[in-house]
Amino acid sequence: MGYGFAWHPVLLNSLLLLAAALLFNRLAGRRYPHSQPAAPAPTPSERVGVSRADLHAALAERGEVVDISEDDLEDILQRAEERSHQRRFGALRCADFMVSEVLSVSAAASSDKALALLRDHRFDALPVTSSDGRLLGEISLRELLAAAGMHPAPLVGQLMDTCPHTSRPDDPIERLIHPFADRGVAHSMVVDGEGRLLGLVAQGDLIAALFREQLERPA
């Protein structure tokens, strides 16, 4: 058949197949050729604790099926680490390290007023409370800056995050390690059983608590 066979039908068919693949993936909203996604960077707690890769390796070594999901197993290990820390360093509660004098704002306040409070006190966020002190949400500097210049100025209740991270006074301080280290939570609002705001625990408070306990450990 001569060298023309390499051009027709081999090259022609290959080009047609490639064009069909490109068209199909373009219509499907995918990139072609497919690339292997980069492995996500390990979280801070995974770098010093048990990671999901460690779970995979341990389960593979056992060579048997365990009737529990990876999420449940990871949660059990996390709680075990918290209890181990409490046993070594003692029971540290959120109430022991929270800042009780917390500046708050009402949901009916204007965003301009809330922004002025944040700038005057150099805060990144403010808790939003009701008249009886119940926590309604949280308003951050980013949300207020995005609304700056609007006329009329929106109310805080229209911009606030209604699901801020919360803790109870008796919660162990170790419970905040994973939210602070892995999920980017900057602070946790401490509330009582009825949802009233009692204080705030920030990342710096957690670091100070763990550092103090490290210093007080017997040699």
Side-chain angles (χ1 to χ4, degrees), residues 94-117:
C94 289
D96 298 328
F97 298 94
M98 72 179 186
V99 177
S100 56
E101 296 180 2
V102 181
L103 185 66
S104 63
V105 65
S106 71
S110 69
S111 57
D112 290 342
K113 176 184 177 181
L115 181 59
L117 285 173

Side-chain angles (χ1 to χ4, degrees), residues 34-104:
H34 303 303
S35 57
Q36 182 69 23
T43 61
S45 61
E46 286 179 337
R47 290 197 289 268
V48 297
V50 178
S51 67
R52 184 156 292 211
D54 297 329
L55 294 180
H56 283 297
L59 292 174
E61 288 179 358
R62 287 179 61 91
E64 59 186 77
V65 178
V66 180
D67 188 19
I68 185 173
S69 68
E70 289 185 0
D71 292 335
D72 291 339
L73 183 57
E74 194 171 22
D75 181 66
I76 292 173
L77 289 175
Q78 178 180 327
R79 293 178 181 273
E81 288 178 352
E82 292 173 1
R83 289 184 174 275
S84 174
H85 189 280
Q86 292 177 36
R87 187 176 64 253
R88 293 197 309 269
F89 300 108
L92 302 176
R93 304 178 306 141
C94 289
D96 298 328
F97 298 94
M98 72 179 186
V99 177
S100 56
E101 296 180 2
V102 181
L103 185 66
S104 63

Side-chain angles (χ1 to χ4, degrees), residues 44 97-99 124 165 173 176-189 200-211:
F97 298 94
M98 72 179 186
V99 177
D124 293 328
H165 191 279
I173 198 76
L176 299 178
I177 293 177
H178 287 278
F180 284 178
D182 300 340
R183 303 209 306 265
V185 175
H187 47 260
S188 182
M189 305 293 180
L200 180 148
V201 178
Q203 289 181 346
D205 300 323
L206 174 63
I207 295 173
L210 300 179
F211 180 68

Side-chain angles (χ1 to χ4, degrees), residues 3 12 19-20 37 62 94 121 153 160 195 201:
Y3 291 105
L12 179 60
R62 287 179 61 91
C94 289
H121 295 83
M160 68 180 183
V201 178

